[in-house]
Structures are given as C-alpha cells and as structure tokens.
Coordinates of all heavy atoms in Angstrom, one line a residue:
M205 N 181.4 246.4 145.4 CA 181.5 245.0 145.0 C 181.1 245.0 143.4 O 180.3 245.7 143.1 CB 180.4 244.1 145.7 CG 180.6 242.6 145.3 SD 179.5 241.4 146.1 CE 178.0 241.7 145.2
K206 N 181.8 244.2 142.8 CA 181.6 243.9 141.4 C 181.4 242.5 141.1 O 181.9 241.7 141.6 CB 182.8 244.6 140.6 CG 182.7 244.5 139.0 CD 183.9 245.2 138.5 CE 183.9 245.1 137.0 NZ 182.9 246.0 136.3
T207 N 180.5 242.2 140.1 CA 180.2 240.8 139.8 C 180.4 240.7 138.3 O 179.9 241.5 137.4 CB 178.7 240.4 140.1 OG1 178.6 240.7 141.4 CG2 178.4 239.0 139.7
V208 N 181.2 239.6 137.9 CA 181.4 239.3 136.5 C 181.2 237.8 136.3 O 181.2 237.0 137.3 CB 182.9 239.6 136.1 CG1 183.1 241.1 136.0 CG2 183.9 238.9 136.9
Q209 N 180.9 237.3 135.2 CA 180.7 235.9 134.7 C 182.0 235.4 134.2 O 182.6 236.0 133.3 CB 179.7 235.8 133.7 CG 178.3 235.7 134.4 CD 177.3 234.8 133.6 OE1 177.4 234.7 132.4 NE2 176.5 234.1 134.3
I210 N 182.4 234.2 134.7 CA 183.7 233.6 134.3 C 183.4 232.2 133.8 O 182.4 231.6 134.3 CB 184.9 233.7 135.3 CG1 184.4 233.0 136.7 CG2 185.2 235.1 135.6 CD1 185.6 232.7 137.6
S211 N 184.4 231.6 133.2 CA 184.3 230.2 132.7 C 185.6 229.5 133.2 O 186.6 229.9 132.9 CB 184.1 230.2 131.3 OG 184.2 228.8 130.8
L212 N 185.4 228.4 133.9 CA 186.5 227.6 134.4 C 186.2 226.2 133.9 O 185.9 225.3 134.8 CB 186.6 227.7 135.9 CG 186.9 229.1 136.5 CD1 186.9 229.0 138.0 CD2 188.3 229.6 136.1
N213 N 186.4 226.0 132.6 CA 185.9 224.7 132.1 C 187.1 223.7 131.9 O 186.9 222.6 131.1 CB 185.2 225.0 130.6 CG 186.0 225.8 129.9 OD1 187.2 226.1 130.1 ND2 185.4 226.2 128.7
S214 N 188.2 223.8 132.5 CA 189.3 222.9 132.5 C 190.1 222.9 133.7 O 190.1 224.0 134.4 CB 190.2 223.1 131.3 OG 191.1 224.2 131.5
I215 N 190.8 221.8 134.1 CA 191.5 221.7 135.3 C 192.7 222.7 135.3 O 192.9 223.4 136.3 CB 192.1 220.3 135.5 CG1 190.9 219.4 135.8 CG2 193.2 220.3 136.7 CD1 191.3 217.9 135.8
D216 N 193.3 222.9 134.1 CA 194.4 224.0 134.0 C 193.9 225.4 134.3 O 194.6 226.1 134.9 CB 195.1 223.8 132.7 CG 195.9 222.5 132.5 OD1 196.3 222.0 133.6 OD2 196.0 222.1 131.5
K217 N 192.7 225.6 133.8 CA 192.1 226.9 133.9 C 191.9 227.2 135.5 O 192.1 228.3 135.9 CB 190.8 227.1 133.2 CG 190.8 228.3 132.2 CD 189.5 228.3 131.4 CE 189.4 229.6 130.6 NZ 188.3 229.6 129.8
V218 N 191.3 226.2 136.1 CA 191.1 226.3 137.5 C 192.3 226.6 138.3 O 192.4 227.5 139.1 CB 190.3 225.1 138.1 CG1 190.2 225.2 139.7 CG2 188.9 225.0 137.5
K219 N 193.4 225.9 138.0 CA 194.7 226.0 138.7 C 195.3 227.4 138.5 O 195.7 228.1 139.3 CB 195.7 225.0 138.3 CG 195.4 223.6 138.8 CD 196.6 222.8 138.7 CE 196.5 221.9 137.5 NZ 197.5 220.8 137.4
S220 N 195.3 227.8 137.2 CA 195.8 229.2 136.9 C 195.0 230.3 137.5 O 195.5 231.3 137.9 CB 196.0 229.4 135.4 OG 194.8 229.3 134.6
F221 N 193.6 230.1 137.5 CA 192.7 231.2 138.1 C 193.0 231.3 139.7 O 193.1 232.4 140.0 CB 191.3 230.7 137.9 CG 190.3 231.5 138.7 CD1 190.0 232.8 138.1 CD2 189.7 231.0 139.8 CE1 189.0 233.6 138.9 CE2 188.8 231.8 140.5 CZ 188.4 233.1 140.0
V222 N 193.2 230.1 140.3 CA 193.5 230.2 141.7 C 194.8 230.9 142.0 O 194.9 231.8 142.9 CB 193.4 228.8 142.4 CG1 193.8 228.9 143.9 CG2 191.9 228.3 142.4
N223 N 195.8 230.5 141.2 CA 197.2 231.1 141.3 C 197.0 232.7 141.1 O 197.7 233.4 141.7 CB 198.2 230.5 140.4 CG 198.6 229.1 140.8 OD1 198.5 228.8 142.0 ND2 199.1 228.3 139.9
D224 N 196.3 233.1 140.1 CA 196.2 234.4 139.8 C 195.5 235.2 140.9 O 195.8 236.3 141.2 CB 195.5 234.7 138.4 CG 196.3 234.3 137.2 OD1 197.6 234.1 137.4 OD2 195.8 234.2 136.2
I225 N 194.4 234.7 141.3 CA 193.5 235.3 142.2 C 194.1 235.5 143.6 O 193.8 236.4 144.4 CB 192.0 234.8 142.3 CG1 191.0 235.8 142.4 CG2 192.0 233.7 143.2 CD1 189.7 235.5 142.1
T226 N 194.9 234.6 144.1 CA 195.5 234.6 145.3 C 196.6 235.7 145.5 O 197.0 235.9 146.6 CB 196.2 233.3 145.9 OG1 197.0 232.8 144.7 CG2 195.1 232.3 146.1
K227 N 196.9 236.4 144.5 CA 197.9 237.3 144.4 C 197.3 238.7 145.1 O 198.0 239.6 145.4 CB 198.5 237.7 143.1 CG 199.3 236.6 142.5 CD 199.6 236.8 141.0 CE 200.3 235.6 140.5 NZ 200.4 235.6 139.0
F228 N 195.9 238.7 145.1 CA 195.2 239.9 145.6 C 194.8 239.6 147.1 O 194.3 238.5 147.3 CB 194.0 240.2 144.7 CG 194.5 240.6 143.3 CD1 194.4 239.7 142.3 CD2 194.7 241.9 143.1 CE1 194.8 240.1 141.0 CE2 195.2 242.3 141.8 CZ 195.2 241.4 140.8
D229 N 194.7 240.6 147.9 CA 194.3 240.6 149.4 C 192.8 240.6 149.5 O 192.2 240.4 150.5 CB 195.0 241.6 150.2 CG 196.5 241.3 150.4 OD1 196.9 240.1 150.3 OD2 197.3 242.2 150.7
H230 N 192.0 240.9 148.4 CA 190.6 241.2 148.5 C 189.9 239.7 148.6 O 190.5 238.7 148.3 CB 190.2 241.9 147.3 CG 190.8 243.2 147.0 ND1 190.8 244.2 147.9 CD2 191.6 243.5 146.1 CE1 191.5 245.2 147.5 NE2 192.0 244.9 146.3
D231 N 188.6 239.8 149.0 CA 187.8 238.6 149.0 C 187.2 238.4 147.7 O 186.7 239.3 147.1 CB 186.7 238.7 150.1 CG 187.4 238.6 151.5 OD1 188.4 237.9 151.6 OD2 186.7 239.1 152.5
F232 N 187.0 237.2 147.2 CA 186.4 236.8 146.0 C 185.5 235.6 146.2 O 185.9 234.6 146.8 CB 187.4 236.4 144.9 CG 188.4 237.5 144.5 CD1 189.6 237.6 145.3 CD2 188.2 238.3 143.5 CE1 190.5 238.6 144.9 CE2 189.1 239.3 143.1 CZ 190.2 239.4 143.9
D233 N 184.2 235.7 145.8 CA 183.3 234.6 145.9 C 182.8 234.1 144.6 O 182.6 234.9 143.7 CB 182.1 235.0 146.8 CG 182.4 235.4 148.2 OD1 183.3 234.8 148.8 OD2 181.8 236.4 148.7
L234 N 182.7 232.8 144.5 CA 182.2 232.2 143.3 C 180.7 231.8 143.6 O 180.5 231.1 144.7 CB 182.9 231.0 142.9 CG 184.2 231.3 142.1 CD1 185.1 230.1 141.9 CD2 184.1 232.2 140.8
V235 N 179.7 232.2 142.8 CA 178.3 231.8 143.0 C 177.8 231.0 141.9 O 177.8 231.4 140.7 CB 177.4 233.2 143.2 CG1 176.0 232.8 143.5 CG2 178.0 234.2 144.2
S236 N 177.3 229.8 142.3 CA 176.7 228.9 141.3 C 175.5 228.4 141.8 O 175.5 227.6 142.8 CB 177.7 227.8 141.0 OG 177.2 226.8 140.0
G237 N 174.3 228.9 141.3 CA 173.1 228.5 141.9 C 173.0 229.0 143.2 O 173.2 230.2 143.5
R238 N 172.7 228.1 144.2 CA 172.6 228.5 145.7 C 173.9 228.3 146.4 O 174.0 228.6 147.6 CB 171.5 227.7 146.3 CG 171.7 226.3 146.3 CD 170.5 225.5 146.8 NE 170.8 224.1 146.8 CZ 170.4 223.2 147.7 NH1 169.9 223.6 148.8 NH2 170.7 221.9 147.6
Y239 N 174.9 227.8 145.7 CA 176.2 227.7 146.3 C 177.1 228.9 146.3 O 177.3 229.5 145.1 CB 176.9 226.4 145.7 CG 176.2 225.2 146.0 CD1 175.5 224.6 144.9 CD2 176.1 224.6 147.2 CE1 174.8 223.4 145.0 CE2 175.4 223.4 147.3 CZ 174.7 222.9 146.2 OH 174.0 221.7 146.3
V240 N 177.7 229.3 147.4 CA 178.7 230.4 147.4 C 180.0 229.9 148.0 O 179.9 229.4 149.2 CB 178.2 231.6 148.2 CG1 179.3 232.7 148.2 CG2 177.0 232.2 147.6
I241 N 181.1 229.9 147.3 CA 182.3 229.4 147.8 C 183.5 230.4 147.7 O 183.4 231.3 146.9 CB 182.8 228.0 147.2 CG1 182.9 228.2 145.6 CG2 181.8 227.0 147.5 CD1 184.3 228.0 145.2
D242 N 184.5 230.3 148.4 CA 185.6 231.2 148.4 C 186.5 230.9 147.0 O 186.8 229.7 146.8 CB 186.5 230.9 149.6 CG 187.8 231.8 149.7 OD1 188.0 232.6 148.7 OD2 188.6 231.7 150.6
A243 N 186.6 231.9 146.2 CA 187.3 231.6 144.9 C 188.7 231.3 145.0 O 189.3 230.8 144.0 CB 187.1 232.9 144.1
K244 N 189.3 231.5 146.3 CA 190.7 231.0 146.5 C 190.8 229.6 146.8 O 191.9 229.1 147.1 CB 191.4 232.0 147.5 CG 191.4 233.4 147.0 CD 192.1 234.3 148.0 CE 192.1 235.7 147.5 NZ 192.7 236.6 148.4
S245 N 189.7 228.9 146.9 CA 189.7 227.5 147.4 C 189.5 226.6 146.2 O 188.5 226.4 145.6 CB 188.5 227.3 148.3 OG 188.3 225.8 148.5
I246 N 190.7 226.0 145.8 CA 190.6 225.1 144.6 C 189.7 223.8 144.9 O 189.0 223.4 144.0 CB 192.0 224.6 144.3 CG1 192.1 224.1 142.8 CG2 192.6 223.6 145.3 CD1 193.5 224.1 142.2
M247 N 189.6 223.3 146.1 CA 188.7 222.2 146.4 C 187.2 222.7 146.3 O 186.3 222.0 145.7 CB 188.9 221.6 147.8 CG 190.3 220.8 147.8 SD 190.4 219.5 146.7 CE 189.3 218.4 147.4
G248 N 186.9 223.9 146.8 CA 185.6 224.5 146.6 C 185.2 224.7 145.2 O 184.0 224.3 144.9
I249 N 186.1 225.1 144.4 CA 185.8 225.3 143.0 C 185.4 224.0 142.3 O 184.5 223.9 141.5 CB 187.0 226.0 142.2 CG1 187.2 227.4 142.7 CG2 186.8 226.0 140.7 CD1 188.4 228.1 142.2
F250 N 186.1 223.0 142.6 CA 185.9 221.7 141.9 C 184.5 221.1 142.5 O 184.0 220.1 141.8 CB 187.0 220.6 142.2 CG 188.2 221.0 141.2 CD1 189.5 221.2 141.7 CD2 188.0 220.9 139.9 CE1 190.5 221.5 140.9 CE2 189.1 221.1 139.0 CZ 190.3 221.5 139.5
S251 N 184.0 221.6 143.5 CA 182.7 221.1 144.0 C 181.5 221.8 143.2 O 180.3 221.3 143.3 CB 182.5 221.4 145.5 OG 182.4 222.7 145.7
L252 N 181.8 222.8 142.4 CA 180.8 223.5 141.6 C 180.6 222.7 140.2 O 181.5 222.0 139.8 CB 181.2 225.0 141.4 CG 181.3 225.8 142.6 CD1 181.8 227.2 142.2 CD2 180.0 225.9 143.4
D253 N 179.5 223.1 139.6 CA 179.2 222.7 138.2 C 180.0 223.6 137.3 O 179.6 224.7 137.0 CB 177.7 222.8 137.9 CG 177.4 222.3 136.5 OD1 178.4 221.9 135.8 OD2 176.3 222.4 136.1
L254 N 181.2 223.2 136.7 CA 182.0 223.9 136.0 C 181.7 224.0 134.5 O 182.4 224.6 133.6 CB 183.5 223.5 136.1 CG 184.1 223.6 137.5 CD1 185.4 223.1 137.7 CD2 183.9 225.0 138.1
S255 N 180.6 223.3 134.1 CA 180.2 223.2 132.7 C 179.5 224.5 132.3 O 179.3 224.8 131.1 CB 179.3 222.0 132.4 OG 178.1 222.1 133.1
K256 N 179.0 225.3 133.3 CA 178.3 226.5 133.0 C 179.2 227.7 133.5 O 179.9 227.5 134.4 CB 177.0 226.5 133.7 CG 176.0 225.4 133.2 CD 174.6 225.5 133.9 CE 174.8 225.1 135.3 NZ 173.7 224.3 135.7
P257 N 178.9 228.9 133.0 CA 179.6 230.1 133.5 C 179.1 230.3 135.0 O 178.1 229.9 135.4 CB 179.1 231.3 132.7 CG 178.5 230.6 131.4 CD 178.0 229.2 131.8
I258 N 180.2 230.9 135.7 CA 179.9 231.1 137.2 C 180.1 232.6 137.4 O 180.9 233.3 136.9 CB 181.1 230.3 138.0 CG1 181.0 228.8 137.6 CG2 180.9 230.5 139.4 CD1 182.2 228.1 138.0
D259 N 179.3 233.1 138.4 CA 179.3 234.5 138.8 C 180.6 234.6 139.8 O 180.7 233.9 140.8 CB 178.1 234.9 139.5 CG 177.0 235.2 138.5 OD1 177.2 235.3 137.2 OD2 175.8 235.2 138.9
L260 N 181.3 235.6 139.6 CA 182.5 235.9 140.5 C 182.2 237.4 141.1 O 182.0 238.3 140.4 CB 183.8 236.0 139.7 CG 185.1 236.4 140.5 CD1 185.4 235.5 141.6 CD2 186.2 236.7 139.7
N261 N 182.0 237.2 142.4 CA 181.8 238.5 143.2 C 183.2 239.0 143.7 O 183.9 238.3 144.4 CB 180.9 238.3 144.4 CG 179.5 238.1 144.0 OD1 179.1 238.3 142.8 ND2 178.7 237.4 144.9
I262 N 183.5 240.3 143.3 CA 184.8 240.8 143.7 C 184.6 241.9 144.8 O 183.9 242.9 144.5 CB 185.5 241.5 142.5 CG1 185.6 240.5 141.4 CG2 186.9 242.1 142.8 CD1 185.9 241.2 140.1
H263 N 185.0 241.6 145.9 CA 184.8 242.5 147.1 C 186.1 243.4 147.2 O 186.9 243.3 148.1 CB 184.6 241.7 148.4 CG 183.4 240.8 148.4 ND1 182.2 241.2 148.5 CD2 183.3 239.4 148.1 CE1 181.3 240.1 148.4 NE2 182.0 239.1 148.2
A264 N 186.1 244.4 146.3 CA 187.2 245.3 146.3 C 186.7 246.7 145.8 O 185.9 246.7 145.0 CB 188.4 244.7 145.4
D265 N 187.4 247.7 146.3 CA 187.1 249.0 145.9 C 188.3 249.6 145.1 O 188.1 250.4 144.1 CB 186.8 249.9 147.0 CG 185.6 249.6 147.8 OD1 184.6 249.2 147.2 OD2 185.5 249.7 149.1
E266 N 189.5 249.2 145.5 CA 190.6 249.6 144.8 C 191.2 248.4 143.9 O 190.8 247.3 144.1 CB 191.7 250.2 145.6 CG 192.4 249.3 146.6 CD 191.6 249.1 147.9 OE1 190.6 249.8 148.2 OE2 192.0 248.1 148.5
N267 N 192.2 248.7 143.0 CA 192.8 247.7 142.1 C 191.8 247.1 141.3 O 192.1 246.0 140.6 CB 193.5 246.6 142.9 CG 194.5 247.0 143.9 OD1 194.3 248.0 144.7 ND2 195.7 246.5 143.8
I268 N 190.6 247.5 141.1 CA 189.6 246.9 140.1 C 190.1 246.8 138.7 O 190.0 245.7 138.1 CB 188.3 247.7 140.1 CG1 187.5 247.4 141.5 CG2 187.3 247.3 138.9 CD1 186.9 246.1 141.6
D269 N 190.8 247.8 138.2 CA 191.4 247.7 136.8 C 192.4 246.6 136.7 O 192.4 245.9 135.7 CB 192.0 249.0 136.4 CG 190.9 250.1 136.2 OD1 189.8 249.8 136.0 OD2 191.2 251.4 136.4
E270 N 193.2 246.5 137.7 CA 194.2 245.5 137.8 C 193.6 244.1 137.8 O 194.1 243.1 137.2 CB 195.2 245.7 139.0 CG 196.4 244.9 138.9 CD 197.3 245.2 140.2 OE1 197.1 246.2 140.8 OE2 198.1 244.3 140.5
I271 N 192.6 244.0 138.7 CA 191.9 242.7 138.8 C 191.3 242.3 137.5 O 191.3 241.1 137.0 CB 190.9 242.7 140.0 CG1 191.6 242.8 141.3 CG2 190.0 241.5 140.0 CD1 190.8 243.2 142.5
M272 N 190.5 243.2 136.9 CA 189.8 243.0 135.6 C 190.8 242.6 134.6 O 190.5 241.6 133.7 CB 189.0 244.2 135.2 CG 187.8 244.5 136.1 SD 186.7 243.1 136.3 CE 186.0 242.8 134.7
E273 N 191.9 243.1 134.5 CA 193.0 242.7 133.4 C 193.5 241.3 133.7 O 193.5 240.6 132.7 CB 194.2 243.7 133.6 CG 195.2 243.6 132.6 CD 194.7 243.9 131.2 OE1 193.9 244.8 131.0 OE2 195.2 243.3 130.2
M274 N 193.7 241.0 134.9 CA 194.1 239.6 135.3 C 193.0 238.6 135.0 O 193.3 237.4 134.6 CB 194.4 239.5 136.8 CG 194.8 238.2 137.4 SD 193.4 237.1 137.9 CE 192.7 238.0 139.1
L275 N 191.7 239.0 135.1 CA 190.6 238.1 134.8 C 190.3 237.8 133.4 O 189.4 237.0 132.9 CB 189.3 238.6 135.5 CG 189.3 238.5 137.1 CD1 188.1 239.2 137.6 CD2 189.3 237.1 137.5
K276 N 190.8 238.7 132.4 CA 190.6 238.6 131.0 C 190.4 237.2 130.4 O 189.5 236.9 129.7 CB 191.4 239.5 130.2 CG 191.0 240.9 130.1 CD 191.8 241.7 129.0 CE 191.3 243.1 129.0 NZ 192.2 244.0 128.4
P277 N 191.4 236.3 130.7 CA 191.3 235.0 130.1 C 190.2 234.1 130.6 O 189.8 233.1 129.9 CB 192.7 234.4 130.6 CG 193.5 235.4 131.1 CD 192.6 236.5 131.5
Y278 N 189.5 234.5 131.7 CA 188.5 233.7 132.3 C 187.1 234.2 132.1 O 186.0 233.6 132.2 CB 188.7 233.6 133.8 CG 190.1 233.2 134.2 CD1 191.0 234.2 134.7 CD2 190.6 232.0 133.9 CE1 192.2 233.9 135.0 CE2 191.9 231.6 134.3 CZ 192.8 232.7 134.8 OH 194.0 232.3 135.1
L279 N 187.0 235.5 131.6 CA 185.7 236.2 131.4 C 184.9 235.6 130.3 O 185.3 235.2 129.2 CB 185.9 237.6 131.2 CG 186.4 238.6 132.3 CD1 186.8 239.9 131.8 CD2 185.5 238.6 133.5
C280 N 183.6 235.6 130.5 CA 182.6 235.1 129.4 C 182.3 236.3 128.6 O 182.1 237.4 129.2 CB 181.3 234.6 130.0 SG 181.7 233.0 130.9
E281 N 182.2 236.1 127.3 CA 181.9 237.3 126.5 C 180.4 237.4 126.2 O 179.7 236.5 126.2 CB 182.5 237.0 125.1 CG 184.1 237.1 125.2 CD 184.7 238.3 125.9 OE1 184.1 239.4 125.6 OE2 185.6 238.2 126.6

C-alpha cells in the first residue's frame, strides 16, 4: 500500500479525479480525519472536507508508476 496527499479543491477536480481513478481495478481509499471513504465514490468525496489536503491510500502492488503519473495533477507538493 502507498499513501499520498492529494488536493480536490474544486468540483471539476473531483469529477476528473473519479473518472481517472475508476480506470484502475485497484482499491483506493480517501482518509480525512477519522473518515475513510472509497475514492471511486463521488458522493463519498463530497462528504469530506475538501478545503484541506486528503490522504489517498493506494492498495496496489503493480501499476504504481502508471497510477502516480495519473495522480500528478492532484498531488500536494
């Protein structure tokens, strides 16, 4: 498992993030405080506080490079 911090601070960013992440068969969880939701659930994402960076847990062993490349626009520096 790999964890990265992402920022989803606009509706368009959330929509494109969900579209990008559903292309992968792996599980992705978003962790904000004590809440853990499925990163492929657009309704779940909107239930989180999107004003702050969110931890994304990537449950994958292969395709990590491809996943990280896809996540570049959302990563916090």
Side-chain angles (χ1 to χ4, degrees):
M205 183 177 86
K206 182 174 177 71
T207 302
V208 294
Q209 278 211 322
I210 61 168
S211 174
L212 299 173
N213 51 7
S214 72
I215 292 171
D216 290 335
K217 231 176 173 180
V218 171
K219 284 197 266 186
S220 63
F221 172 76
V222 172
N223 284 338
D224 288 343
I225 213 162
T226 50
K227 295 172 186 165
F228 295 96
D229 286 335
H230 308 294
D231 288 332
F232 300 88
D233 295 325
L234 286 172
V235 182
S236 178
R238 60 188 178 136
Y239 300 104
V240 178
I241 58 117
D242 182 355
K244 295 180 181 180
S245 166
I246 199 160
M247 291 302 289
I249 292 173
F250 282 121
S251 71
L252 298 175
D253 178 5
L254 299 177
S255 66
K256 295 183 287 218
I258 305 167
D259 287 339
L260 173 67
N261 292 338
I262 305 163
H263 301 279
D265 294 323
E266 66 276 349
N267 301 54
I268 286 290
D269 293 336
E270 189 181 345
I271 293 168
M272 292 308 293
E273 187 64 33
M274 179 274 302
L275 287 174
K276 272 190 180 167
Y278 314 104
L279 292 175
C280 294
E281 297 305 321

